[in-house]
């Protein structure tokens, strides 16, 4: 049984969260305040998802190492 690609998935999701965060800063600098909150929320959701993917990866490794 091959291991699911947890590392690639969590890295991609964290990268997306970072890009959304940088985009949020750029929107604020350009004066698009109406979009800043939703972009910031999306960035935080991506980072939380990446962290939960890492937790899932750790738990997967623990259950399959026995």
């Amino acid at each position: 049984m091959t291991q699911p690609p947890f590392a690639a998935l969590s890295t991609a999701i964290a990268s997306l969260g970072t890009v959304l965060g940088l985009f949020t800063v750029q929107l604020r600098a350009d004066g698009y305040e109406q979009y800043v909150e939703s972009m910031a929320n999306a960035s935080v959701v991506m980072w939380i998802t990446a962290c939960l993917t890492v937790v899932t990866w750790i738990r997967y490794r623990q259950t399959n190492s026995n």
Side-chain angles (χ1 to χ4, degrees):
M1 180 175 178
T2 62
Q3 182 174 346
F6 288 115
L9 179 63
S10 62
T11 303
I13 294 172
S15 298
L16 179 61
T18 302
V19 168
L20 288 174
L22 293 173
F23 189 53
T24 301
V25 172
Q26 187 64 40
L27 285 174
R28 183 174 300 241
D30 290 342
Y32 292 101
E33 290 292 326
Q34 66 268 26
Y35 303 112
V36 169
E37 184 179 354
S38 62
M39 291 302 291
N41 287 338
S43 176
V44 170
V45 167
M46 290 297 111
W47 271 100
I48 291 172
T49 304
C51 292
L52 290 175
T53 303
V54 171
V55 168
T56 304
W57 183 10
I58 292 169
R59 291 181 55 95
Y60 178 83
R61 290 183 67 195
Q62 287 175 349
T63 58
N64 288 334
S65 66
N66 294 333

